[in-house]
Amino acid sequence: MAEELGAKAALDPSAVGDVATAVRDLTGGGTHHAVDTTGQPAVVSQALAALRQQGTLALVGSGRGPSSTS
């Protein structure tokens, strides 16, 4: 559906071993912006890893329990 709406590429996370690496490969170094609406620590970590240097991650909502980034 994303491609039908104009996206140049779409990833199926269940078919890609490492989503962040796939995003960095598709974008030539990482995305400028990412938005997370899940609040899931694993998804937030993947989104951070997919950003290019000085990229921006927008967190909409928050998850329960502890999470950490490095």
Side-chain angles (χ1 to χ4, degrees), residues 31-47:
T31 185
H32 291 276
H33 309 285
V35 178
D36 173 67
T37 61
T38 69
Q40 297 294 317
V43 178
V44 172
S45 293
Q46 287 180 343

Side-chain angles (χ1 to χ4, degrees), residues 3-4 6 10 17 19 24 27-28 30 32 34-35 37 39 44 47-48 55 58 60 62 64 67-69:
E3 291 171 322
E4 292 173 12
V19 173
R24 286 192 308 273
T27 59
H32 291 276
V35 178
T37 61
V44 172
L48 284 169
V60 180
S62 63
R64 294 185 179 159
S67 62
S68 65
T69 60

Side-chain angles (χ1 to χ4, degrees), residues 1 3 10 12 16 18 21-22 26-27 32 36 39 41 48-49 51-52 54 56-57 59-61 65-67:
M1 181 167 131
E3 291 171 322
D12 176 357
V16 177
D18 182 352
T21 297
L26 280 170
T27 59
H32 291 276
D36 173 67
L48 284 169
L51 291 173
R52 68 179 54 238
Q54 297 185 0
T56 301
L57 173 59
L59 300 173
V60 180
S67 62

